[in-house]
Amino acid sequence: MRRRMEKSNGKPPRSRLCLLASVLALFWFLIFYFHFAVLSGNSPETLKPSLPSPSIPSESQHFSKQSRPVNPVRSIVPPRSILKRNAQREPKKDFPFLRALKTAENKTDPCGGRYIYVHDLPPRFNEDMLTECRKLSLWTNMCKFTTNAGLGPPLENVEGVFSNTGWYATNQFAVDVIFSNRMKQCECLTKDSSIAAAVFVPFYAGFDVARYLWGYNISVRDAASLDLVDWLMKRPEWKVMGGRDHFLVAGRITWDFRRLSDTESDWGNKLLFLPAAKNMSMLVVESSPWNANDFGIPYPTYFHPSKDADVFVWQDRMRKLERKWLFSFAGAPRPGNRKSIRGQIIDQCRNSKVGKLLECDFGESKCHSPSSIMKMFQSSLFCLQPQGDSYTRRSAFDSMLAGCIPVFFHPGSAYTQYTWHLPKNFSKYSVFIPEDDIRKKGVSIEERLKQIPDHVVKEMREEVISLIPRLIYADPRSKLETLKDAFDVSVQAIIDKVTKLRKEIIDDREDKDFIEENSWKYALLEEGQKVGAHEWDPFFSKPKDANNNGDSGSSSAEAAKNSWKNERRPQS
C-alpha cells in the first residue's frame, strides 16, 4: 500500500481524472446542445441574425455580440424537423398585393377582401361621351336612354303588365353607364389602391365603339382604346399586376372589339386584342368562347328595383300567373343566314294551337313595345330563345324576368356565357334542344316540351323566378338591402378571380397548360376536373381564319355587323 502511494506521489489515479473530465465535457456538450438546438432553433453555424417571419421572431435576434459564444461546437446540428420548420418561417417574395390579401383576414372589417379602387379617368373616356349622346348611334337617339343614371325614361304601367315603380325603357346596350353609376354606390370603394381586391376602369367602351363603326377609318375607331391603355400603363396601380387586377365594362357584344386585322373594311375596333387589354378583364353582354379576357354579364332588362320589397312582390306575382301558352317566340326570321333555325321556329309557332308568336320586323311592331313583349312572356310556360345575329339575345333575360322557362338551341346563347349568374346545371332552369334537332331532324318543339312532367315544369319555373335578383340591375341611385343583383354578382366574381390569381402567383401554381381556345370549357369544370373532350365541341369548332389568332373568324364579325343593322328598327 505504501509503495503504491509513493509511486503516485499522493495524487489520485489518472483513471479518475479522465472520468471526471469526460463527465464535465458531456455536461457542457448537453448545455450547448440544449441552448443552440432547442432554445434558439438555429445551428451554431448560423448564429448571425436571420430574417424571421414577422409573427414568430427568432430568439437568436436577442443575443448581443458579447453574449454569443466565441467558439461554438460546430459538430452540433439541429434535427432536420427544426430546420424544415425554420425554412417555412422564411417569408416568400414581397408581392405588392400582399396587403390587399391580408385585409380579408380582418374579420371586423365588412369590406375586408372586397375593396374596389376606381380610376379617376379623364372625362374624355366617359362623361364627355354622354354630353355628345346624339353621336352614339346613327339610328337611335341615345340621349333619352342615358337619362336616369342610364336607365332611360320611366315606363307607364298602362296595361298593368309592370309593377308601379322601377320600370324604365332601358336600352339593351346601356350597361356601360348603368354599371359605372352602380359602382358609385358601392360601399367598399377605397382611395388606397394597396388594399384593393380589384381595380375598376370606368371607360365607356361600348359607347366609344358605337360612335365610329360606320364611316370611320380604323385610326379613329382605335384612338380612344389606345389612349386608354397608354394612360393606364403609366399609373402605379397598373404596375402591381400588369393590369391583371383591372376590369372594365362594355355593354356590347365582344365582336365589336375584336377586329381581326388593320384592313379598313374589317369590323369594329381592336380593344380586346391590345396586349395590355389582354391582361384586363372586360365584362360584355356576349363573350367569346375562344378568348380568356372577356366575361358575359346579363343584358339589362326593363326592371330596376330600388329596394328588396319590389323584387319580392314581383317574384310572388310571377308565381301566381296563369300561363295559357305552352311556348312563345318573339323575333324575326333571318332569311340571309342559311344556318338560322328561326324560320322553322316561326313556322312551328304558327302551326301550333299552344304556341304564341310575336313577329318582329322592320317598321312598326308590337315587338318593340316592352309591355307587349312582357305580356306574352308572362302568359307562357316556355320562351324560345334561338340565336339572333350572334349567340345571345336580350330577350332571354326579359323572358326569365317574366318567370318564363327559356328554351335554348345553342350552348353559346347562355350556358357558356353567363356562368357567374346562371347555374352550371342548365336543366334546372331551362330546356336545351340542339339546333340540328330542328334543322335536320324536324323535331317538334311542342312534343318535346309536352314530354316534361308537370311537377318538373313547376320546379323549373320556381328556379327561374328565384334567379331574377341576380339577373337584373338595381336602380343605380339606390342599393338593394339584402339581395345581390347582376352588378353585385359580377363584382364579386371579379374579386374572386383576382384573389385566386394572386394566391396562385404567391404559391407559384398558375396553370401553365391553359389553352385559350378552350376558354369556354374552363368555367364549366367542377372542382378537380381537367379540360378535355366535351359534348358541345361541335358547337364551337367553327373553321378558323388563318390570321385571326384563333378567334371565330369573319362569321362573328359579320354577325356583329348585322346586329347593328337591326338597330335601325324604332326603339320604344
Side-chain angles (χ1 to χ4, degrees), residues 218-457:
I218 59 173
S219 296
V220 175
R221 284 182 257 161
D222 293 338
S225 298
L226 293 170
D227 193 11
L228 174 75
V229 298
D230 180 65
W231 188 91
L232 289 172
M233 291 173 70
K234 293 175 181 176
R235 298 287 303 177
E237 297 84 8
W238 180 270
K239 295 177 175 61
V240 172
M241 293 185 71
R244 300 174 79 185
D245 54 354
H246 284 49
F247 71 105
L248 65 155
V249 176
R252 298 211 63 97
I253 62 178
T254 190
W255 316 112
D256 289 333
F257 311 97
R258 293 189 179 280
R259 192 181 66 245
L260 302 177
S261 75
D262 284 342
T263 304
E264 293 289 348
S265 59
D266 274 359
W267 181 254
N269 69 26
K270 61 179 181 181
L271 172 59
L272 283 173
F273 281 142
L274 296 176
K278 285 187 175 182
N279 282 354
M280 293 190 285
S281 298
M282 185 150 152
L283 312 188
V284 288
V285 292
E286 177 176 317
S287 63
S288 164
W290 306 284
N291 296 97
N293 58 334
D294 59 358
F295 301 88
I297 61 173
Y299 285 85
T301 63
Y302 302 111
F303 186 40
H304 306 281
S306 57
K307 54 183 183 293
D308 288 9
D310 294 342
V311 182
F312 297 142
V313 169
W314 180 258
Q315 287 176 303
D316 287 342
R317 180 177 170 183
M318 293 305 101
R319 290 186 181 99
K320 297 172 183 177
L321 286 175
E322 289 292 327
R323 300 178 184 267
K324 62 180 180 180
W325 301 108
L326 176 64
F327 64 96
S328 63
F329 173 63
R334 293 291 187 270
N337 184 349
R338 292 183 291 104
K339 294 183 178 181
S340 176
I341 61 170
R342 285 189 170 212
Q344 293 97 312
I345 287 176
I346 289 172
D347 288 342
Q348 290 203 31
C349 287
R350 284 173 176 160
N351 297 328
S352 172
K353 294 181 179 179
V354 291
K356 174 70 173 175
L357 175 64
L358 196 63
E359 292 192 72
C360 308
D361 214 332
F362 292 97
E364 292 299 322
S365 168
K366 287 185 177 181
C367 233
H368 308 133
S369 164
S371 59
S372 297
I373 294 172
M374 292 301 293
K375 187 174 183 179
M376 184 183 75
F377 289 159
Q378 289 175 25
S379 62
S380 306
L381 285 174
F382 298 93
C383 292
L384 310 185
Q385 302 295 347
Q387 294 186 79
D389 296 295
S390 60
Y391 290 130
T392 62
R393 307 178 71 206
R394 170 189 175 149
S395 174
F397 296 98
D398 288 334
S399 66
M400 286 189 277
L401 174 60
C404 188
I405 302 166
V407 180
F408 297 110
F409 303 85
H410 192 292
S413 293
Y415 309 145
T416 62
Q417 289 288 341
Y418 311 108
T419 55
W420 295 345
H421 299 78
L422 296 173
K424 288 183 181 179
N425 182 2
F426 60 86
S427 63
K428 291 177 63 177
Y429 71 93
S430 71
V431 176
F432 180 56
I433 304 177
E435 286 180 336
D436 278 351
D437 284 6
I438 306 296
R439 184 186 297 116
K440 298 179 180 179
K441 300 177 184 179
V443 165
S444 167
I445 297 172
E446 178 180 332
E447 292 305 316
R448 179 70 64 88
L449 297 178
K450 281 182 175 179
Q451 292 171 6
I452 304 174
D454 290 344
H455 74 278
V456 175
V457 173

Side-chain angles (χ1 to χ4, degrees), residues 37-42 53 56 78-90:
V38 178
L39 287 180
S40 71
N42 291 303
S53 168
I56 312 178
R80 187 173 298 174
S81 61
I82 295 176
L83 289 172
K84 184 176 181 181
R85 187 168 64 246
N86 286 337
Q88 290 175 342
R89 289 175 184 168
E90 290 294 323

Side-chain angles (χ1 to χ4, degrees), residues 52-72:
S53 168
S55 59
I56 312 178
S58 170
E59 289 187 23
S60 65
Q61 288 179 308
H62 301 299
F63 284 112
S64 66
K65 289 182 179 180
Q66 291 78 12
S67 65
R68 291 179 189 161
V70 177
N71 293 310

